Amino acid sequence: MIYRLKLPILSASSSCLRRRRLSFYSTTAATASSFASHLSPPLKPQTPLFLRPLSHSTSPSSLLSFRQWAESLARSYAADLSIDGGPSASELIRELSWLLQDATFQAGETMLLRTDLQDLYCLWMQRIEARRPFQYIVGCEHWRDLVLAVREGVLIPRPETEELVDLVAGVEGFKDGLWADLGTGSGAIAIGIGRILGENGRVVATDLSEAAVEVARFNVGRYKLEDKVEIRQGHWFEPLQDLHGKLSGLVSNPPYIPSSHIPGLQAEVGKHEPSLALDGGMNGMDHLLHLCDGLISALKPGGFFAFETNGDKQSEYIVDFISSQGSNTFHDMRIVADFAGVRRFVTGYCQ
């Protein structure tokens, strides 16, 4: 179910997205038109689709009609979506298959559904017309060996961020350490670390967003890690006052996109994911530098840190910035590339 959302620095107008009328799809025109007023995504958090009970049903022929309509809609809009690097028709149709896998189960001559068939029409229109991210449509994202709940107001975890967990796993003695994940979002990094810790290991994760804290706690509970991962609400280091100087390690994937680049991002990102989790200020460095300033007081001697950045120039700047604090403060500073070869991560140890 992984759809790797890109963060392109492109500008595009979405005004063309509504120029095709739904009546083009003659077999479902009457059905589709009844959903035109339901394009806005729900504001209340919902259980991920795959976790909902099979409490609805429909006929195989009705579900086939939906699929044919949905595929036609995807093909019709694909050219418009490609303007800002959006998904192709084949990618959308693959997402449609994933949606149906999450939502349906065949029981003899009946198709059981985890949501009403009308809701599937609404959800697919949101995906195509409103460019609502697929992960928000189904309410989850596959990340490492996890299936994490996500919703509006919570950043969708990216595949490249998985490397932060691997970097922690490479630290000597990490299993019994006290770790912090700042800006946890869905709780992905904290949960990933929590699952590989030893008996005495622990993670404290923070986020300013109430929505993120709620979703992160849900994900922690679903993986039964309440004894390993604690979620606290607050701004960066503020919820960690009782842990200053005690942390074995600190990781973060903070907002690092320059403010001026936000409007040009792929619509699924720029228009739907929370700016709080994307916008890094004028040059994208505001939060990264704040995190760097707090390292000395947060980490215990020998403590490890790992930050995700926008890549290359930001990583180089962070290394220079931390190094400027004194040669006796940090050591073994490294820039680590992600799976695409982008020099995205900065790591090091406190003296």
Side-chain angles (χ1 to χ4, degrees):
M1 190 180 293
I2 298 174
Y3 172 55
R4 295 184 178 179
L5 283 173
K6 297 175 287 184
L7 298 177
I9 301 172
L10 300 171
S11 61
S13 170
S14 61
S15 61
C16 59
L17 290 180
R18 296 184 180 273
R19 68 187 182 206
R20 293 187 178 90
R21 296 179 299 168
L22 286 170
S23 56
F24 174 82
Y25 308 101
S26 57
T27 59
T28 54
T31 307
S33 62
S34 68
F35 307 132
S37 61
H38 300 286
L39 286 176
S40 298
L43 296 178
K44 294 182 179 180
Q46 294 189 350
T47 302
L49 188 57
F50 78 100
L51 291 176
R52 300 180 200 176
L54 291 160
S55 54
H56 305 269
S57 64
T58 191
S59 66
S61 61
S62 294
L63 192 64
L64 177 61
S65 293
F66 164 74
R67 181 161 199 153
Q68 291 171 340
W69 169 82
E71 289 181 355
S72 294
L73 191 66
R75 292 190 179 98
S76 177
Y77 274 84
D80 294 339
L81 272 59
S82 67
I83 292 174
D84 67 351
S88 65
S90 62
E91 289 171 328
L92 288 170
I93 291 172
R94 185 165 69 245
E95 290 182 2
L96 175 62
S97 294
W98 291 333
L99 171 63
L100 292 174
Q101 287 174 18
D102 277 12
T104 66
F105 178 81
Q106 186 162 5
E109 295 299 316
T110 302
M111 297 301 302
L112 300 180
L113 306 176
R114 300 184 190 278
T115 190
D116 189 83
L117 183 61
Q118 178 173 318
D119 291 336
L120 289 180
Y121 278 96
C122 292
L123 290 171
W124 194 245
M125 287 178 66
Q126 290 170 9
R127 178 68 188 104
I128 303 299
E129 289 205 341
R131 301 287 297 276
R132 188 181 177 204
F134 177 74
Q135 291 88 342
Y136 292 163
I137 295 291
V138 295
C140 69
E141 169 65 317
H142 289 230
W143 193 84
R144 291 181 71 87
D145 57 345
L146 308 170
V147 183
L148 300 167
V150 293
R151 67 172 175 91
E152 272 76 9
V154 180
L155 187 74
I156 299 165
R158 270 46 173 193
E160 57 268 25
T161 306
E162 297 175 8
E163 179 67 22
L164 284 173
V165 179
D166 295 329
L167 290 170
V168 169
V171 175
E172 184 177 354
F174 81 92
K175 286 194 173 184
D176 292 320
L178 174 60
W179 293 84
D181 170 24
L182 303 190
T184 194
S186 64
I189 300 169
I191 293 169
I193 295 172
R195 281 164 62 88
I196 61 174
L197 290 178
E199 182 178 354
N200 298 318
R202 182 170 161 238
V203 186
V204 179
T206 72
D207 206 292
L208 182 62
S209 164
E210 183 177 351
V213 166
E214 179 182 316
V215 168
R217 285 175 177 161
F218 175 87
N219 285 324
V220 168
R222 205 170 84 78
Y223 284 97
K224 303 185 186 307
L225 288 172
E226 294 92 339
D227 61 334
K228 289 289 181 187
V229 181
E230 179 186 356
I231 307 296
R232 299 182 182 182
Q233 185 173 2
H235 187 260
W236 298 125
F237 295 98
E238 290 177 2
L240 303 178
Q241 297 295 322
D242 59 320
L243 302 179
H244 277 196
K246 301 177 182 179
L247 295 176
S248 304
L250 184 153
V251 297
S252 182
N253 174 24
Y256 52 63
I257 307 296
S259 300
S260 61
H261 294 172
I262 301 296
L265 295 176
Q266 183 179 324
E268 283 85 349
V269 181
K271 293 184 178 181
H272 290 276
E273 294 197 72
S275 60
L276 183 68
L278 297 172
D279 194 335
M282 185 174 67
N283 61 3
M285 300 289 293
D286 288 2
H287 301 289
L288 281 163
L289 294 179
H290 178 75
L291 292 171
C292 291
D293 286 336
L295 282 175
I296 297 176
S297 59
L299 293 173
K300 69 179 185 180
F304 173 82
F305 72 88
F307 297 148
E308 181 173 327
T309 78
N310 204 19
D312 298 329
K313 290 184 179 180
Q314 279 193 359
S315 294
E316 293 168 3
Y317 188 94
I318 290 299
V319 170
D320 291 342
F321 180 82
I322 294 177
S323 298
S324 70
Q325 298 185 25
S327 58
N328 295 324
T329 306
F330 295 95
H331 66 94
D332 290 347
M333 299 274 292
R334 289 197 304 145
I335 296 177
V336 180
D338 64 16
F339 56 73
V342 178
R343 300 167 70 236
R344 188 171 298 278
F345 305 98
V346 176
T347 71
Y349 292 83
C350 186
Q351 293 281 17

